[in-house]
Amino acid sequence: MSYALATIWHERQRFLPGILAVAFSALLICMQVGLLLGLFTVVSLPIDRSKADVWIGYPGIQSLDLGQPIPVSWQSRLAMQPEVERTEPLLTGFVFCNKPDGGTEMCLVIGSRLGIEAIGAIAELTPEMRVRLTEPGTIVVDETALLSLGLRGIGDEAQMGGHRVRLVGIVRGYKGLAGPFLFCSQPTARLLLPQITGQVTYLLARCHHPDQAAAVVQRLRAYPNMAVFTRDEFSLRSRMHWLTMTNAGIALGSAALLGLIIGAAVTSQTLYSATTAALRQYAALEALGIPTWRMVAMVLTQSFWVGLAGITLALPTVLGLAHIADLFGARVLLSGSLLMTTAAVTMTMALVSGLIALRSLRLVEPANLLR
Amino acid sequence: MSLPTPALSGRKLTRSFGSGDMTFTAVHETSLDIFPGQMVLLMGPSGSGKSTLLALLSGLLRPDSGRVLALGEDLWQLSDRDRKQFRLRNYGFIFQGHNLYPSLTARQQLELVLRWGERANGRDARRRADEMLDLLGLGPKADLRPDHLSGGEKQRVAIGRALVKNPSFCFADEPTSALDWAHGQQVVELLHAAARERGATVLMVSHDPRIIPYADQTINLEDGRLTEPLPAQGRPLRSAS
């Protein structure tokens, strides 16, 4: 066992605040970013759960919900690509729903084709729902939207954009961020979104093989005035837009940063006080001629072990909390890369804290031991 | 018959503290020679400048004026780095407090000096630490940490830490002050024997006259000046002589 580790174990009461501070930082970063990613995954769910490999939108499109009308004639540009199996339009846009209590709720209409081979429809639309949706003026919503739209269950009706619509199906896991998703047929979408008459919002394509999407996208980018993405690109773009451009992202990011700063302050102070408490021991070694870098290495090694202990403590806690959050319907997306990045960031924080604590070694004065 | 070459010499060493009217001169133009293999006792009342003189001779405190020659090196002409390297090779220290790491065992306290100071490998450091602890009668306690050792045992570990690297000099500042006489006597006897075994020259500061019989020579200091010349080898030279 290294001398640094032996010291931490023997004086664990002294080092505990530093270890807890690292664990707190790791926990905060993981949960905040995990919640953020979990939250914003919803933004791109209709992209991720469609069968479309290629998405075309208006130039400058930032996110799925921010689509603008584009000419339907561009569909031929897609169709003439040899890798493309079939293409279809998708209609999206916002509509206001009049709630029973008098208020309004903004909803994102997603009007797709409904056949079993349709590429714009989400996978969660069952064949039965698709049949029901073919009747104009019918919608499917997420279960969490029922209350906000004043709907009690299938068969209930609501007033949207001046039209009566009827609920014919309920899906799970599509709790929209900007407002509830309304899944419907294209005729229903045209009814609710008169502003895109004669045009569409997106043009989608399915390739013979998903790997061919990149080549198609590359070729289609030669056309001016239209934005072309693979499914993954558009999904990421939508999430990143929400992550960087919304106050929610900034607020949660700031909280994670604050956690990091607090963690660094506490860890640094813990290491500083531990070093200060051992000044007489360091001074005795200094008198004996032990090189100063050995003592610097001791403090930095201590900061490494404090970091490792904190991260080790945080990991099961994060997984446990994510599980509990999931039980309450809050999705915490903990990817391997998030856990690795958090571990790297908090370990760096611990080592930087160690560097800051090194100033205490300047107080080492062996002549003071001769009194 | 010519005298042997001194191992350690101080020449006209002066050191003051404070400034202006508050200046206090702890050591006045003091010169002395210490010869190899001896145990020299530096005595004097509290505030007489014993510890300051020890700090000057051991290279821990820079004199205002004067020179310190150790093994032929002019200590205060060396760079800080070279002086520290000199201390590493040649000096061992025992302080009033044991200043041991609370988290390390007796063996680890000694190993640390060898591994960090000389880059000794783990096996070699352990062997040498165990030899030293055996010499000090601490073999059975090698795996105990300071909080499981008595005051005398802790000071013996500190002696081991000072001597384990086989220094040419061992500087001891009141090593028995925190111990009762029985334990203090034991510590002095062990220091004497261990230093002799290792061929180290010992300069010990103490105000306890009961230690005098163990010393090869005794030097008295009062108000920062040597009070009497001693007849034997290692004689102090009268101040400003």
Side-chain angles (χ1 to χ4, degrees):
Chain A
M1 189 158 57
S2 78
Y3 302 130
L5 194 54
T7 304
I8 291 175
W9 178 247
H10 187 257
E11 297 176 31
R12 46 196 179 276
Q13 294 286 348
R14 186 190 296 283
F15 283 95
L16 194 61
I19 293 170
L20 290 179
V22 173
F24 169 73
S25 296
L27 186 72
L28 203 64
I29 293 170
C30 248
M31 291 301 288
Q32 295 279 20
V33 178
L35 266 171
L36 210 64
L37 292 177
L39 201 64
F40 292 160
T41 301
V42 170
V43 173
S44 62
L45 261 186
I47 304 170
D48 303 324
R49 302 292 291 156
S50 76
K51 290 180 183 170
D53 299 320
V54 178
W55 287 70
I56 290 180
Y58 88 99
I61 177 81
Q62 294 295 325
S63 174
L64 173 75
D65 54 303
L66 300 176
Q68 295 285 330
I70 57 172
V72 71
S73 58
W74 289 355
Q75 194 168 356
S76 61
R77 297 175 178 179
L78 263 176
M80 68 172 57
Q81 303 300 320
E83 297 90 345
V84 168
E85 185 185 304
R86 60 187 184 281
T87 71
E88 65 180 53
L90 187 76
L91 306 176
T92 69
F94 287 103
V95 65
F96 283 101
C97 171
N98 299 329
K99 295 162 71 169
D101 63 6
T104 57
E105 178 84 26
M106 196 172 69
C107 306
L108 183 62
V109 176
I110 298 182
S112 63
R113 287 186 183 166
L114 296 167
I116 207 73
E117 293 294 313
I119 55 180
I122 57 167
E124 283 72 12
L125 289 181
T126 63
E128 195 182 12
M129 288 180 196
R130 292 178 191 224
V131 169
R132 288 181 187 166
L133 282 174
T134 53
E135 184 185 339
T138 56
I139 55 165
V140 166
V141 299
D142 182 78
E143 59 180 358
T144 57
L146 292 176
L147 195 63
S148 57
L149 298 178
L151 297 166
R152 286 169 308 226
I154 290 171
D156 264 17
E157 293 188 342
Q159 192 75 19
M160 289 183 187
H163 302 274
R164 290 206 72 75
V165 295
R166 186 161 52 89
L167 183 68
V168 295
I170 297 167
V171 289
R172 292 194 62 190
Y174 280 88
K175 186 182 179 182
L177 267 190
F181 289 120
L182 300 183
F183 299 102
C184 62
S185 67
Q186 294 199 341
T188 303
R190 291 213 177 274
L191 194 70
L192 297 174
L193 305 170
Q195 66 271 27
I196 51 175
T197 309
Q199 293 184 297
V200 298
T201 322
Y202 296 100
L203 288 163
L204 317 180
R206 180 154 180 91
C207 297
H208 296 291
H209 194 278
D211 292 346
Q212 296 166 327
V216 173
V217 166
Q218 193 61 35
R219 214 174 299 130
L220 288 173
R221 280 188 179 150
Y223 287 103
N225 302 326
M226 76 179 192
V228 193
F229 307 99
T230 64
R231 184 208 331 253
D232 289 348
E233 283 170 355
F234 193 42
S235 171
L236 181 67
R237 190 181 184 85
S238 296
R239 277 178 279 145
M240 288 309 289
H241 171 75
W242 278 81
L243 194 67
T244 55
M245 299 303 289
T246 63
N247 287 335
I250 293 167
L252 290 174
S254 308
L257 187 66
L258 191 66
L260 203 62
I261 293 168
I262 293 169
V266 176
T267 308
S268 152
Q269 196 51 40
T270 300
L271 290 165
Y272 180 84
S273 65
T275 312
T276 309
L279 277 185
R280 293 183 70 83
Q281 284 85 13
Y282 284 123
L285 295 180
E286 180 78 21
L288 287 168
I290 302 298
T292 307
W293 72 264
R294 289 286 188 179
M295 294 165 232
V296 168
M298 173 87 161
V299 176
L300 292 181
T301 312
Q302 282 174 348
S303 66
F304 169 80
W305 286 116
V306 164
L308 194 66
I311 291 166
T312 309
L313 187 66
L315 195 65
T317 316
V318 165
L319 295 176
L321 280 177
H323 183 68
I324 292 170
D326 198 40
L327 293 179
F328 286 93
R331 189 166 177 208
V332 183
L333 198 70
L334 296 175
S335 64
S337 56
L338 171 60
L339 295 175
M340 293 292 286
T341 307
T342 303
V345 167
T346 42
M347 180 55 87
T348 306
M349 179 202 85
L351 291 174
V352 169
S353 305
L355 285 173
I356 295 169
L358 284 179
R359 70 192 193 281
S360 58
L361 288 181
R362 287 207 301 264
L363 304 173
V364 171
E365 183 43 75
N368 288 345
L369 297 178
L370 297 174
R371 286 278 180 250
Chain B
M1 189 180 81
S2 63
L3 288 172
T5 310
L8 181 66
S9 299
R11 288 288 173 272
K12 294 192 174 183
L13 291 170
T14 298
R15 173 70 198 205
S16 301
F17 296 98
S19 59
D21 293 343
M22 302 299 286
T23 304
F24 163 69
T25 304
V27 175
H28 289 271
E29 299 206 330
T30 298
S31 300
L32 77 170
D33 287 331
I34 293 169
F35 292 88
Q38 291 201 323
M39 180 154 153
V40 178
L41 185 60
L42 189 55
M43 294 202 68
S46 187
S48 59
K50 310 183 292 292
S51 295
T52 303
L53 183 57
L54 190 76
L56 298 175
L57 290 168
S58 61
L60 296 184
L61 191 64
R62 183 179 288 277
D64 297 334
S65 62
R67 299 164 69 198
V68 174
L69 294 164
L71 303 176
E73 294 276 7
D74 191 338
L75 211 53
W76 291 103
Q77 291 298 314
L78 298 176
S79 67
D80 287 351
R81 189 180 164 178
D82 288 345
R83 192 165 49 255
K84 189 168 180 182
Q85 191 65 32
F86 185 88
R87 288 207 308 269
L88 176 63
R89 281 199 309 272
N90 301 302
Y91 281 7
F93 286 89
I94 302 161
F95 303 101
Q96 283 185 42
H98 51 80
N99 301 317
L100 300 174
Y101 275 100
S103 56
L104 303 185
T105 64
R107 179 187 292 118
Q108 287 173 323
Q109 311 276 353
L110 273 60
E111 283 177 344
L112 185 144
V113 172
L114 296 172
R115 298 186 69 169
W116 285 11
E118 301 176 13
R119 301 186 179 204
N121 65 45
R123 185 183 295 177
D124 189 38
R126 187 187 171 102
R127 180 182 56 74
R128 288 167 62 189
D130 283 343
E131 279 174 13
M132 191 71 231
L133 290 173
D134 284 341
L135 184 68
L136 295 166
L138 285 171
K141 309 229 168 176
D143 291 317
L144 298 184
R145 283 196 289 265
D147 53 358
H148 290 106
L149 298 172
S150 69
E153 286 167 341
K154 278 186 266 208
Q155 202 57 303
R156 277 147 68 189
V157 175
I159 293 173
R161 183 174 63 179
L163 295 178
V164 71
K165 58 179 184 162
N166 289 327
S168 303
F169 299 95
C170 179
F171 298 94
D173 184 30
E174 305 270 12
T176 61
S177 64
L179 306 175
D180 58 43
W181 173 238
H183 285 103
Q185 188 180 23
Q186 194 183 25
V187 163
V188 172
E189 282 172 0
L190 280 167
L191 175 58
H192 194 199
R196 180 145 294 176
E197 166 99 4
R198 304 255 159 167
T201 303
V202 178
L203 179 58
M204 187 195 302
V205 162
S206 179
H207 60 266
D208 188 344
R210 289 176 294 188
I211 298 177
I212 293 174
Y214 295 95
D216 296 311
Q217 68 158 323
T218 302
I219 297 172
N220 282 299
L221 202 67
E222 212 163 287
D223 294 331
R225 292 184 170 87
L226 301 182
T227 54
E228 56 186 283
L230 293 181
Q233 287 182 342
R235 71 184 63 184
L237 308 176
R238 186 164 289 285
S239 299
S241 59

